[in-house]
């Protein structure tokens, strides 16, 4: 009889019935692997889809950053087309072809801008030549004042030789020569952007009906009416904004022309136009650029004239900010001055100078479009609506209520 060792016996499991699969004590994690230990079929496709989505997002982000300049130019061209839309439509209604009407409007604008730039360039060139010719006299007067005040013995020849042989002048000349290429590239880039804006704005204005028809063709009839209404509001608000800016530029130009003409400053008409246009159509820093040039030219006539010009610019700017601009903006664009100021700040933060220029008409268009969908109610006849506090008849005053609320009263 064979000896058996009970301590070495292993526990046995019941045999599974025939035709069934044997189970284990710990089942596999659901979704991790299949019962036979292989990877699920959906996992490789999910990984490929996730990688494709990430690559698409990265590609779209890169393309958007590369095309930001072009998108901004298209936005400027669209608002410029909205501004000239009333004039083009009026000429087209009288039987003129829309393309020819658009060409005539842009041709007139180009002639006006080219004439202003030509007059301004000739004025600046004349003043620069005058300042260069009078520089020896200015230097002699400065040397004479320095010798009398500080008891020195300076001569113009010594000063000129010291300037010509100075290290800072040599470094300045080298930096200027190196910066000529950068300036040329910036000028060429600016001309290319100007041409891009002009071409897109021309096509937007000339093909406005075709563009609206193409946009409405992909929308249901109810949405088409809303899009056309929003387009009409945008045209009215953009035209109203440019009208108000043009009127303020006219008032500003006439006021500064009268001052400069009274002081005897040369090129007073051109300087008046410069102040009016630059102060109104260049946001944020336009006022400072507009006032700097008349001050410089007035200084060449008499130093105190530059001070008078500075004082007048500051006073007129306050009058325009608090008296003229709120009234014209409220009538033409129909938005609150605080909303206009806030929209300019937001536009500057988002798109810089371009955003500041188009922020007001964009906000006015959005406000007018959304105003049709806001339900308004009649305001109750309450004194608090007009800023008056309601008082209970016969009730105690404020001081009496405060005293009554103290401890021991």
């Amino acid at each position: 009889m064979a000896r058996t060792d009970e301590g070495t016996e292993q526990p046995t499991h019941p045999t599974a019935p025939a035709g069934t699969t044997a189970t284990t004590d710990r089942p596999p994690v659901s979704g991790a692997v299949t019962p036979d230990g292989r990877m699920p079929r959906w996992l490789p496709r999910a990984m490929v889809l996730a990688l494709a989505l990430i690559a698409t997002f990265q590609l779209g982000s890169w393309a958007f950053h590369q095309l930001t300049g072009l998108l901004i130019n298209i936005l400027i061209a669209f608002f410029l087309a909205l501004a000239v839309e009333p004039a083009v439509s009026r000429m087209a209604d009288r039987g003129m072809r829309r393309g020819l009407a658009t060409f005539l409007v842009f041709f007139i604008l180009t002639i006006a801008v080219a004439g202003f730039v030509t007059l301004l360039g000739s004025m600046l060139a004349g003043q620069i030549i005058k300042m260069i010719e009078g520089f020896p006299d200015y230097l002699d007067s400065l040397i004479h004042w320095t010798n009398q005040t500080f008891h020195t013995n300076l001569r113009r020849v010594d000063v000129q030789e010291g300037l010509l042989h100075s290290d800072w002048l040599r470094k300045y000349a080298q930096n200027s020569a190196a910066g000529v290429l950068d300036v040329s590239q910036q000028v060429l880039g600016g001309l290319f952007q100007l041409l891009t804006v002009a071409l897109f704005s021309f096509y937007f204005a000339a093909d406005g009906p075709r563009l609206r028809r193409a946009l409405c063709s992909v929308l249901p009839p109810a949405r088409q009416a809303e899009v056309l209404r929003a387009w009409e509001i945008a045209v009215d608000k953009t035209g109203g904004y440019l009208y108000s800016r043009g009127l303020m530029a006219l008032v500003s130009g006439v006021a500064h022309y009268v001052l400069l003409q009274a002081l005897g400053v040369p090129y007073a008409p051109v300087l008046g136009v410069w102040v009016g246009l630059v102060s109104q159509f260049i946001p944020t820093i336009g006022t400072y650029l507009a006032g700097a040039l008349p001050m410089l030219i007035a200084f060449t006539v008499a130093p105190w004239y530059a001070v008078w010009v500075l004082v007048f610019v500051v006073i007129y700017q306050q009058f325009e900010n608090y008296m003229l601009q709120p009234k014209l903006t409220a009538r033409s664009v129909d938005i609150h001055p605080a909303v206009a100021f806030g929209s300019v700040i937001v536009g500057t933060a988002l798109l810089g100078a371009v955003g500041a220029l188009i922020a007001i008409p964009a906000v006015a268009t959005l406000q007018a479009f959304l105003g049709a969908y806001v339900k308004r109610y009649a305001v109750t006849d309450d004194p608090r609506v007009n800023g008056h506090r309601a008082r209970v008849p016969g009730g105690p005053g404020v001081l009496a209520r405060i005293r009554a609320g103290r401890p021991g009263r």
Side-chain angles (χ1 to χ4, degrees), residues 11 28 87 100 116 174 200 211 225 228 238 246 248 257 263 266 275 285 309 323 362 365 373 392 409:
L100 180 59
F116 172 70
Q174 293 177 354
F200 274 107
L211 180 61
L228 294 177
T238 305
M248 286 191 294
Y257 163 74
L263 294 177
V275 173
I285 62 173
V309 172
M323 298 294 295
T365 302
Y373 300 94
V392 180
R409 293 282 182 181

Side-chain angles (χ1 to χ4, degrees), residues 199-351:
L199 288 177
F200 274 107
S201 58
F202 178 82
Y203 288 129
F204 285 155
D207 294 338
R210 186 183 303 175
L211 180 61
R212 289 190 289 268
R213 190 179 299 109
L215 183 61
C216 292
S217 63
V218 297
L219 297 174
R223 297 297 181 184
Q224 293 179 14
E226 295 181 0
V227 169
L228 294 177
R229 179 174 173 272
W231 195 293
E232 184 178 0
I233 291 175
V235 171
D236 294 338
K237 294 303 179 181
T238 305
Y241 171 72
L242 293 180
Y243 166 77
S244 63
R245 286 293 175 178
L247 188 57
M248 286 191 294
L250 178 62
V251 175
S252 177
V254 171
H256 288 84
Y257 163 74
V258 171
L259 172 69
L260 297 174
Q261 189 69 27
L263 294 177
V265 178
Y267 304 102
V270 181
L271 289 175
V273 176
W274 162 266
V275 173
L277 293 179
V278 174
S279 62
Q280 300 303 323
F281 291 98
I282 296 182
T284 308
I285 62 173
T287 302
Y288 306 103
L289 292 178
L293 184 59
M295 288 174 54
L296 178 62
I297 296 179
F299 183 81
T300 60
V301 179
W304 283 106
Y305 285 178
V307 178
W308 284 112
V309 172
L310 175 61
V311 173
F312 182 81
V313 168
V314 173
I315 294 176
Y316 180 82
Q317 188 65 32
Q318 303 306 315
F319 165 75
E320 181 182 285
N321 291 337
Y322 294 100
M323 298 294 295
L324 186 62
Q325 183 174 355
K327 295 181 179 180
L328 292 178
T329 303
R331 291 183 179 180
S332 59
V333 190
D334 195 20
I335 61 175
H336 194 274
V339 177
F341 180 72
S343 63
V344 170
I345 294 178
V346 174
T348 305
L350 294 177
L351 298 177

Side-chain angles (χ1 to χ4, degrees), residues 92-263:
D93 292 339
R94 295 181 178 180
M96 185 179 296
R97 294 180 56 185
R98 191 173 182 87
L100 180 59
T102 306
F103 173 77
L104 289 178
V105 172
F106 276 93
F107 180 75
I108 294 173
L109 291 176
T110 304
I111 292 298
V113 173
F116 172 70
V117 172
T118 302
L119 291 176
L120 183 63
S122 62
M123 180 195 67
L124 290 176
Q127 292 299 317
I128 291 174
I129 293 174
K130 183 178 179 180
M131 292 177 63
I132 293 175
E133 292 177 351
F135 180 76
D137 296 334
Y138 292 141
L139 186 60
D140 289 338
S141 62
L142 179 62
I143 291 174
H144 179 69
W145 177 81
T146 304
N147 290 334
Q148 286 185 348
T149 304
F150 299 102
H151 304 287
T152 58
N153 190 18
L154 296 177
R155 294 183 306 172
R156 188 175 70 179
V157 178
D158 298 335
V159 174
Q160 291 178 350
E161 290 181 356
L163 290 175
L164 293 176
H165 294 86
S166 60
D167 294 335
W168 69 269
L169 183 61
R170 179 176 54 81
K171 293 180 180 179
Y172 177 78
Q174 293 177 354
N175 294 332
S176 300
V180 169
L181 182 59
D182 296 336
V183 173
S184 302
Q185 292 177 353
Q186 292 179 0
V187 170
L188 292 177
L191 291 177
F192 179 76
Q193 291 182 357
L194 183 61
L195 181 61
T196 302
V197 171
L199 288 177
F200 274 107
S201 58
F202 178 82
Y203 288 129
F204 285 155
D207 294 338
R210 186 183 303 175
L211 180 61
R212 289 190 289 268
R213 190 179 299 109
L215 183 61
C216 292
S217 63
V218 297
L219 297 174
R223 297 297 181 184
Q224 293 179 14
E226 295 181 0
V227 169
L228 294 177
R229 179 174 173 272
W231 195 293
E232 184 178 0
I233 291 175
V235 171
D236 294 338
K237 294 303 179 181
T238 305
Y241 171 72
L242 293 180
Y243 166 77
S244 63
R245 286 293 175 178
L247 188 57
M248 286 191 294
L250 178 62
V251 175
S252 177
V254 171
H256 288 84
Y257 163 74
V258 171
L259 172 69
L260 297 174
Q261 189 69 27
L263 294 177

Side-chain angles (χ1 to χ4, degrees), residues 10 126 272 293 354 361 367 388 406:
Q10 299 295 330
L293 184 59
V354 176
Q367 177 180 336
H388 304 291
R406 292 180 181 178

Side-chain angles (χ1 to χ4, degrees), residues 17-35:
T20 61
T21 305
T23 58
T24 58
D25 294 340
R26 180 178 296 178
V29 179
S30 176
V33 293
T34 56

